Amino acid sequence: MDSKFSHAVLKLLKTLNSVTIAEALERGCQPFYVDNRQFGLIRPDFFNHLREYENIFDVIGENKEDKINEKKPGVHLSSEYKTYSERTSAINSMLKDLREKNVIQALTGWRDENYRMSQRFTDDPVLEIERAGAGLFGFLQYGVHVNGYTREQNGDIWMWIARRSKTKQTFPDMYDNMCAGGLAANLGILECVKKECKEEASVSDEILGKLKFVGTISYFYEDERGLFPECQFVFDLVLPADFKPLNADGEVGSFQKCSVAEVKKLMTEENFKPNCAAVCLDFLIRHGHLNPDTDPNVSFYIEQLHSPLQTYYTR
């Protein structure tokens, strides 16, 4: 067993699964509800800012009279906002106000890109939220990731690894999958993944015809920006031997073609965006480069790559 690699992977998975619902509630995080259904979790630091917006949010459970209220204890979006557009407007107007006040670090990474919010991916969404604010509410977020690789005549696999631009709002100058991006509110999954491939690596329509959906990874982590339960839709893309990715949107600083051994080495150097390293880990397992005979932790890796997010807020 490669003990250095295994240690790095265990550390990575601990980072990606750094929080649970039970732990968050124990230290004072508040459930967030729309129509008395839980859609997220709010940390105490952000909760203190929400108190300024009593016309938008109702806090249930702090007063004795709340005991007769049918609403569950926690933070509720006001029932005055009944439609998708009304809820979206209320949430984003509040975030814009906080952004102007410059009191929330996460909002300095404003994207002008909305995410849809639902309990499960198959559910109708209840609102849209500016991407930079989704973690403040602990909303379930989705994205797409592409493993771009070539297979040599001798069977060896080489992966294209991106290095993020030094000006990216999040995780600047860190290693990344060849193409990846958040699932914006106005896009379907395949539409999103093709868009990211064209913008980040100039992949042609002909090559994109070989995209293969291979599953998902999911995890729940926390950082200074908030709480992040995330699910990534993962695709493999076999590339021609002479293909060279070319960035077209300024979000990638460079690309490098790596052997499996080189990818594993990069994953031990702590300069890999954590969820992107996890997508590479999933790739290595699926393609037989890790197995339980050579690394007895493989079954644990697989378990930790598939946190059951869609049950978190619906139990």
Side-chain angles (χ1 to χ4, degrees), residues 185-230:
N186 61 333
L187 297 176
I189 295 169
L190 189 57
E191 183 182 12
C192 180
V193 75
K194 289 183 176 181
K195 170 180 174 291
E196 295 295 342
C197 284
K198 290 180 178 181
E199 292 179 350
E200 295 191 350
S202 301
V203 184
S204 68
D205 287 330
E206 181 182 1
I207 294 175
L208 287 176
K210 297 180 181 179
L211 272 169
K212 181 180 179 182
F213 173 64
V214 293
T216 64
I217 67 165
S218 50
Y219 46 85
F220 193 173
Y221 76 95
E222 179 179 15
D223 65 19
E224 68 279 359
R225 299 168 299 147
L227 296 163
F228 294 86
E230 295 187 348

Side-chain angles (χ1 to χ4, degrees), residues 57-315:
F57 303 100
D58 298 322
V59 181
I60 305 299
E62 292 187 318
N63 304 312
K64 292 181 178 179
E65 55 268 27
D66 287 339
K67 292 183 179 179
I68 62 172
N69 197 308
E70 293 181 357
K71 289 185 176 180
K72 301 170 185 176
V75 180
H76 291 250
L77 184 65
S78 173
S79 56
E80 292 183 12
Y81 306 107
K82 301 183 183 302
T83 68
Y84 186 88
S85 60
E86 288 172 348
R87 296 178 192 126
T88 298
S89 178
I91 288 281
N92 286 317
S93 65
M94 178 272 299
L95 290 176
K96 287 177 182 177
D97 187 55
L98 287 173
R99 182 193 183 198
E100 291 177 1
K101 293 176 180 177
N102 196 28
V103 293
I104 303 290
Q105 186 267 341
L107 299 181
T108 61
W110 195 274
R111 304 290 190 94
D112 286 318
E113 179 181 5
N114 281 2
Y115 282 171
R116 289 176 176 164
M117 293 300 114
S118 59
Q119 281 187 318
R120 296 185 179 90
F121 186 74
T122 53
D123 291 346
D124 290 334
V126 295
L127 58 86
E128 292 181 18
I129 186 171
E130 155 62 34
R131 176 175 178 172
L136 297 172
F137 287 89
F139 286 149
L140 178 54
Q141 301 180 43
Y142 296 90
V144 297
H145 283 249
V146 178
N147 297 296
Y149 69 99
T150 61
R151 189 181 296 276
E152 306 301 314
Q153 289 185 348
N154 64 1
D156 288 350
I157 282 178
W158 290 71
M159 296 182 70
W160 280 103
I161 300 297
R163 190 152 192 174
R164 296 161 70 86
S165 167
K166 294 180 180 180
T167 60
K168 283 281 288 185
Q169 296 100 325
T170 56
F171 304 98
D173 201 34
M174 297 186 77
Y175 293 113
D176 202 335
N177 306 121
M178 187 182 80
C179 307
L183 184 59
N186 61 333
L187 297 176
I189 295 169
L190 189 57
E191 183 182 12
C192 180
V193 75
K194 289 183 176 181
K195 170 180 174 291
E196 295 295 342
C197 284
K198 290 180 178 181
E199 292 179 350
E200 295 191 350
S202 301
V203 184
S204 68
D205 287 330
E206 181 182 1
I207 294 175
L208 287 176
K210 297 180 181 179
L211 272 169
K212 181 180 179 182
F213 173 64
V214 293
T216 64
I217 67 165
S218 50
Y219 46 85
F220 193 173
Y221 76 95
E222 179 179 15
D223 65 19
E224 68 279 359
R225 299 168 299 147
L227 296 163
F228 294 86
E230 295 187 348
C231 175
Q232 306 296 340
F233 294 95
V234 180
F235 292 78
D236 282 357
L237 180 59
V238 180
L239 298 164
D242 61 352
F243 174 82
K244 292 184 179 180
L246 178 66
N247 182 245
D249 64 3
E251 295 192 1
V252 178
S254 62
F255 292 96
Q256 62 188 86
K257 193 176 183 180
C258 300
S259 67
V260 167
E262 289 169 337
V263 172
K264 292 176 70 175
K265 185 175 185 298
L266 289 178
M267 291 172 64
T268 68
E269 295 177 353
E270 299 188 359
N271 195 35
F272 225 120
K273 184 171 180 277
N275 65 338
C276 300
V279 171
C280 288
L281 176 64
D282 174 70
F283 180 91
L284 295 177
I285 294 170
R286 287 187 292 100
H287 287 264
H289 296 284
L290 296 173
N291 66 74
D293 287 327
T294 57
D295 188 340
N297 290 314
V298 165
S299 62
F300 181 73
Y301 300 162
I302 295 170
E303 177 184 311
Q304 293 296 297
L305 288 171
H306 299 92
S307 184
L309 297 182
Q310 295 193 79
T311 63
Y312 276 179
Y313 299 145
T314 56
R315 291 171 179 168

Side-chain angles (χ1 to χ4, degrees), residues 19-35:
V19 63
T20 67
I21 292 292
E23 291 169 348
L25 292 172
E26 284 177 5
R27 57 185 170 83
C29 292
Q30 296 279 343
F32 177 73
Y33 298 96
V34 177
D35 287 341

